[in-house]
Amino acid sequence: MKILGIESSCDETAATLLSCLPAGLSVVRAGREAKGGHLGVLQNVVWSQVQIHKKYGGVVPEVAARQHLSAIMPVIQEALGKTRKPDLIAVTRGPGLITSLAVGVQTAKTLSYVWGVPLIGVNHLEAHLWSFLLNKENKISLKKIKFPAMALIVSGGHTELILVKAVGKYKLIGQTLDDAAGECFDKVAKMLELGYPGGPMISHFAKSGDKNRIKFPRPMINSEDFDFSFSGLKTSVKYHLNDLAPTGSLSQQMLNDVCASFQTAIIDVLAEKTMKSAEKFQAKTVILGGGVSANEALIKKIQDAAAFRSLDFYYPEKWLTGDNAAMIALAGYFNKQKASKEIWRKLSVDANLKMA
Ligand code: KG4
Ligand code: ZN
């Protein structure tokens, strides 16, 4: 079975051909071996618009949609390679930017109709959640995961704690009340004139900084619930910058220290709430996913905390942290019983699609 995944929810146009072979078979395609009973990424294509949005300091929805429109067919063609048509098409139907989502969904619907291939609309956050299963070594299989699991999904648009009882059985435990974690990284990076996206730049400078130099607040770290709030932290950075650099420029060392102190504050809150919720709901496993899961300091913090509590911990390889269509194809595989050749008639986009 070959699944074509299509992703266009934000500023990445992506298509992936994923193979799901019956046990006992093994083939090599595109230089990679796909073993029977396993999932194999045959071709993964991501066309990033980051360079285009950089000059605006963030994603401009109108520009993003136009870029998806010109990129989507070449990206799909590249992912398909010599495969004439897949056995299933999986496309992100939300959450995300409505006009960006519409390009991917309309393309998927058209291909489904023309090819006569079943189609399924998937949730972008569910795809981030399971992305760790697509590691290249195929070492982690779903059978190994102990449930319930607590998943922290941290991206540019979302910060959610989700209790996972099984594939498809989710309960939202907590979420951000204002900015998402990635959004907070991006906004602070903007203040520091580090460009867009901010997360990778902040984590880069933080490596050479003193994380104890500035004591930034850890909003809601001790609250009884599992919600988050990052706008106060962002404002605190702004005030500190006014004091530290009234004329506008920071020394390189001070910049590193601000990055390290800020990153530690946000990570402390994310890790603390994840562990508290895991404890309360007696989770056996902790899962990390989404663009911010590329952050090595966050991985380390949760890894240590999970090990301390004897919990299993899974996170995606770096190439799977940002938006990609391999994870969309995988979510499609998990939901394949809902796919049909007729869905193109009614499949819609939902900017605020919920997982639970
Ligand atoms: O999942 P994603 O690619 O897109 C959305 O679905 O939103 O996440 C993008 C977010 C951006 O806010 C970016 O700054 C953040 O992930 N990010 C990071 C790092 N790499 C990307 N945040 C912190 N540290 C990083 N290393
Ligand atoms: Zn995403």
Side-chain angles (χ1 to χ4, degrees):
M1 181 186 204
K2 287 187 197 164
I3 305 175
L4 174 66
I6 300 175
E7 156 65 31
S8 71
S9 67
C10 189
D11 60 344
E12 260 94 29
T13 319
T16 299
L17 197 60
L18 185 77
S19 81
C20 314
L21 293 173
L25 283 179
S26 173
V27 292
V28 177
R29 272 197 211 99
R32 255 185 228 147
E33 191 182 22
K35 284 210 175 89
H38 283 302
L39 301 158
V41 175
L42 301 178
Q43 193 65 268
N44 188 47
V45 186
V46 182
W47 191 81
S48 174
Q49 306 175 7
V50 157
Q51 293 308 327
I52 293 159
H53 296 287
K54 234 182 183 128
K55 55 179 178 284
Y56 306 107
V59 179
V60 182
E62 164 74 19
V63 174
R66 285 170 187 260
Q67 292 298 326
H68 285 305
L69 201 53
S70 54
I72 198 142
M73 285 313 295
V75 164
I76 289 174
Q77 198 179 29
E78 181 75 21
L80 283 174
K82 292 205 168 70
T83 300
R84 205 175 63 78
K85 63 179 186 180
D87 303 299
L88 173 69
I89 304 170
V91 63
T92 307
R93 62 171 293 250
L97 301 170
I98 202 89
T99 46
S100 288
L101 289 164
V103 176
V105 168
Q106 185 50 40
T107 305
K109 284 163 75 160
T110 307
L111 292 175
S112 168
Y113 170 72
V114 172
W115 284 336
V117 165
L119 172 66
I120 175 92
V122 306
N123 185 306
H124 183 84
L125 297 180
E126 183 179 21
H128 271 306
L129 195 162
W130 295 113
S131 61
F132 71 93
L133 287 170
L134 286 167
N135 67 333
K136 288 213 176 97
E137 306 289 313
N138 258 331
K139 271 191 197 138
I140 315 164
S141 88
L142 192 57
K143 286 187 208 115
K144 280 195 197 157
I145 314 296
K146 296 178 202 143
F147 294 107
M150 187 58 68
L152 173 69
I153 309 299
V154 263
S155 70
H158 293 85
T159 305
E160 298 196 353
L161 276 169
I162 295 156
L163 181 66
V164 184
K165 291 185 187 148
V167 173
K169 292 208 162 144
Y170 311 116
K171 186 171 181 207
L172 181 66
I173 301 301
Q175 60 187 325
T176 182
L177 304 176
D178 40 54
D179 293 346
E183 190 181 0
C184 188
F185 269 99
D186 293 338
K187 286 179 176 169
V188 168
K190 201 170 184 177
M191 288 177 211
L192 295 167
E193 295 174 5
L194 296 179
Y196 172 84
M201 295 307 284
I202 290 188
S203 59
H204 169 72
F205 289 115
K207 284 190 182 128
S208 321
D210 174 3
K211 62 182 181 167
N212 299 314
R213 177 80 177 257
I214 305 157
K215 191 90 187 126
F216 286 121
R218 271 88 171 140
M220 296 181 73
I221 197 163
N222 293 317
S223 67
E224 289 299 308
D225 54 28
F226 300 107
D227 289 334
F228 302 89
S229 165
F230 295 115
S231 69
L233 172 58
K234 176 188 70 187
T235 311
S236 172
V237 176
K238 189 171 190 303
Y239 287 137
H240 272 86
L241 288 181
N242 291 345
D243 292 346
L244 292 168
T247 53
S249 83
L250 290 177
S251 68
Q252 184 62 49
Q253 190 55 52
M254 185 53 89
L255 174 67
N256 297 346
D257 294 349
V258 170
C259 288
S261 302
F262 159 73
Q263 179 176 273
T264 306
I266 198 161
I267 284 173
D268 279 356
V269 181
L270 292 170
E272 177 72 18
K273 293 242 153 166
T274 304
M275 289 306 144
K276 263 197 210 161
S277 61
E279 200 166 309
K280 165 140 191 216
F281 292 94
Q282 296 173 345
K284 299 188 176 94
T285 301
V286 173
I287 296 171
L288 184 61
V292 184
S293 68
N295 190 293
E296 288 163 24
L298 174 64
I299 294 171
K300 175 91 177 57
K301 181 98 190 174
I302 297 186
Q303 197 160 43
D304 290 348
F308 182 74
R309 291 166 178 80
S310 303
L311 302 176
D312 289 348
F313 173 51
Y314 299 105
Y315 60 95
E317 286 171 1
K318 192 144 185 185
W319 66 284
L320 290 160
T321 57
D323 289 345
N324 65 84
M327 66 181 193
I328 304 304
L330 178 64
Y333 177 69
F334 283 159
N335 289 289
K336 63 181 185 305
Q337 74 286 358
K338 292 184 215 148
S340 96
K341 290 184 183 173
E342 299 299 318
I343 282 183
W344 61 266
R345 292 180 191 277
K346 56 175 190 218
L347 189 69
S348 60
V349 290
D350 183 348
N352 300 308
L353 187 65
K354 303 279 180 251
M355 261 181 79

